């Protein structure tokens, strides 16, 4: 018998073996294979999830966004710096969507150091949507116009550092106009001048690029990024769980809030790579089995060890 000339189809072999089984054996085999499949799915989910040990959570990036070639003029707009007074980040809450937050930051990027008053932001709908990553379509234009209308109606809640009194502010925008050619003029609320026009002698400021906001996906991830950026010189932020939930505008139980909002936000920030050379990690402090403190830190990334060889030697 010449083995090398023996050919058979493995699928046909499996089918022939399957036909030899009794009905009860077939049922047991199907159940076993189904169980193996379910175990494989669970294993994949676990390995992709969080690695938690003694309250320390290491979150891997959900994904790394690969950016296509961007028009130089659009990229130049995204590279504009945004400078905000820390109070506007740390002491306020808002209910704005991701689209609305990006539009606000676009407006903030137009305020330059040394400005005496807030500028009227002049652009067009196509440029605005391209810069902020909304895409160019009739739906994107419609949603962006609706977001501008919302920003003219909604503002932020400001909490004084010296009291528990919450002050409702006026809307973010004073108004905007769009003509038939989709040319836009946006007027910010003059109240914002206190937070956007820099006085180096007064207050502390946070600085980042508009591109950072465009890279981060999701409203809650953007809010957490801004908060961490305002505490970057301290290496991160430590807060009571209730304070974090208030900042996010959520009243969920801690476990739900952590799993549904906080950890996904950390993963998205790490995936966007907006803190160059650093990653975000979270840890908790327990007292009587209850979480009493949450620490969200910026950790220096460890460079991979690359062994050096002398290629001249054998």
């Amino acid at each position: 018998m010449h083995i090398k000339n023996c050919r058979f189809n493995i699928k046909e072999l499996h089918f022939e073996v399957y036909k030899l089984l009794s009905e009860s054996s077939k049922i047991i085999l199907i159940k076993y294979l189904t169980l193996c499949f379910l175990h494989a799915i669970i294993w994949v989910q676990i390995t992709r999830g969080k690695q938690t040990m003694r309250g320390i959570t290491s979150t891997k990036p959900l994904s790394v966004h690969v950016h296509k070639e961007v028009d130089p003029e659009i990229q130049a707009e995204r590279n504009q710096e945004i400078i905000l007074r820390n109070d506007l980040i740390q002491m306020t809450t808002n209910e704005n969507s991701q689209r609305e937050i990006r539009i606000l930051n676009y407006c903030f990027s137009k305020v330059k150091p040394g400005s005496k008053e807030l500028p009227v932001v002049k652009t067009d709908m196509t440029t605005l949507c391209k810069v902020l990553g909304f895409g160019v379509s009739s739906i994107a234009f419609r949603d962006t116009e609706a977001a501008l209308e919302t920003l003219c109606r909604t503002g932020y809640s400001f909490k004084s550092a010296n009291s528990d009194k919450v002050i409702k502010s006026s809307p973010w925008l004073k108004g905007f106009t769009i003509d038939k050619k989709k040319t836009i003029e946006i007027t910010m609320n003059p109240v914002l001048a206190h937070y956007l026009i820099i006085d180096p002698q007064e207050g502390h400021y946070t600085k980042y690029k508009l591109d950072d906001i465009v890279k981060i996906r999701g409203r809650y991830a953007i809010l957490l990024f801004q908060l961490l950026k305002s505490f970057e010189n301290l290496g991160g932020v430590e807060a009571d769980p209730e304070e974090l939930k208030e900042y996010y505008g959520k009243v969920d139980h801690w476990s739900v809030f952590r799993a549904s909002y906080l950890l996904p936000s950390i993963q998205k920030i790490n995936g966007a790579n907006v803190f160059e050379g650093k990653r975000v990690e979270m840890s908790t402090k327990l007292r009587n089995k209850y979480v009493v403190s949450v620490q969200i830190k910026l950790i220096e990334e460890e460079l991979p060890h690359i062994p050096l060889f002398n290629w001249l030697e054998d």
Side-chain angles (χ1 to χ4, degrees):
M1 179 178 182
H2 300 286
I3 300 296
K4 61 181 180 181
N5 294 326
C6 180
R7 297 180 179 178
F8 60 90
N9 190 315
I10 191 68
K11 292 183 179 179
E12 293 179 359
L13 179 62
H14 286 169
F15 183 69
E16 292 298 326
V17 172
Y18 180 76
K19 289 196 298 183
L20 295 175
L21 296 177
S22 64
E23 289 301 320
S24 59
S25 298
K26 289 178 182 178
I27 294 173
I28 293 173
L29 179 61
I30 292 172
K31 288 183 177 180
Y32 174 74
L33 293 175
T34 303
L35 188 61
C36 289
F37 179 70
L38 291 175
H39 274 290
I41 293 176
I42 295 171
W43 181 83
V44 169
Q45 294 297 326
I46 291 174
T47 54
R48 287 182 178 178
K50 289 73 63 179
Q51 297 176 350
T52 304
M53 182 177 182
R54 296 182 180 178
I56 299 177
T57 305
S58 175
T59 51
K60 296 180 180 180
L62 282 177
S63 61
V64 177
H65 302 291
V66 178
H67 296 277
K68 299 179 181 179
E69 286 293 328
V70 179
D71 183 275
E73 293 184 3
I74 298 299
Q75 191 59 51
E77 291 263 29
R78 292 180 179 179
N79 288 339
Q80 296 295 314
E81 286 190 330
I82 298 168
I83 305 177
L84 308 174
R85 182 189 284 270
N86 284 351
D87 288 354
L88 189 61
I89 299 173
Q90 298 173 2
M91 303 302 296
T92 64
T93 59
N94 67 74
E95 297 180 357
N96 298 109
S97 66
Q98 172 184 276
R99 185 179 296 267
E100 292 158 10
I101 293 173
R102 287 187 180 181
I103 293 172
L104 280 176
N105 279 272
Y106 179 83
C107 295
F108 296 163
S109 72
K110 301 303 178 183
V111 182
K112 304 303 178 186
S115 301
K116 300 299 182 182
E117 59 184 17
L118 296 179
V120 175
V121 179
K122 298 180 180 181
T123 184
D124 61 85
M125 185 64 80
T126 300
T127 300
L128 183 65
C129 287
K130 283 184 176 180
V131 170
L132 299 181
F134 299 152
V136 180
S137 66
S138 58
I139 295 176
F141 291 176
R142 180 199 65 195
D143 292 345
T144 300
E145 185 171 349
L148 285 166
E149 292 175 354
T150 301
L151 290 171
C152 290
R153 298 193 306 269
T154 62
Y156 56 87
S157 300
F158 185 88
K159 185 174 181 180
S160 173
N162 301 321
S163 70
D164 292 332
K165 185 178 180 181
V166 176
I167 303 170
K168 288 286 186 179
S169 79
S170 49
W172 292 106
L173 302 182
K174 185 178 179 180
F176 73 97
T177 60
I178 301 180
D179 63 19
K180 292 182 179 179
K181 296 182 179 180
K182 296 297 181 179
T183 301
I184 307 174
E185 290 191 4
I186 304 172
T187 304
M188 288 180 276
N189 192 321
V191 175
L192 293 173
H194 174 68
Y195 304 104
L196 299 175
I197 296 179
I198 299 173
D199 180 0
Q201 305 300 322
E202 182 184 355
H204 299 281
Y205 293 87
T206 299
K207 183 188 295 186
Y208 54 87
K209 290 184 179 181
L210 177 61
D211 196 41
D212 296 331
I213 300 298
V214 176
K215 286 179 180 177
I216 299 172
R217 306 288 180 177
R219 169 183 188 272
Y220 301 109
I222 293 175
L223 292 178
L224 182 59
F225 163 76
Q226 290 177 310
L227 184 64
L228 287 171
K229 201 69 180 176
S230 70
F231 285 102
E232 188 173 15
N233 63 322
L234 299 177
V237 61
E238 181 172 2
D240 180 274
E242 296 303 317
E243 291 177 331
L244 278 176
K245 288 195 288 183
E246 182 181 1
Y247 178 73
Y248 268 70
K250 296 295 176 182
V251 294
D252 305 84
H253 187 273
W254 164 250
S255 61
V256 176
F257 172 73
R258 172 181 173 275
S260 301
Y261 301 102
L262 202 51
L263 289 178
S265 296
I266 293 173
Q267 290 176 319
K268 290 175 182 178
I269 292 172
N270 285 336
N273 194 30
V274 286
F275 290 104
E276 293 184 4
K278 298 178 182 178
R279 70 179 185 279
V280 181
E281 288 195 356
M282 186 191 78
S283 62
T284 56
K285 292 181 180 178
L286 302 178
R287 183 182 301 157
N288 297 328
K289 298 183 180 180
Y290 291 98
V291 177
V292 295
S293 177
V294 182
Q295 293 178 323
I296 306 176
K297 295 182 178 181
L298 296 170
I299 308 297
E300 294 285 346
E301 289 277 14
E302 296 181 2
L303 295 176
H305 174 68
I306 302 176
L308 298 178
F309 299 97
N310 187 345
W311 300 104
L312 298 178
E313 296 180 359
D314 293 332

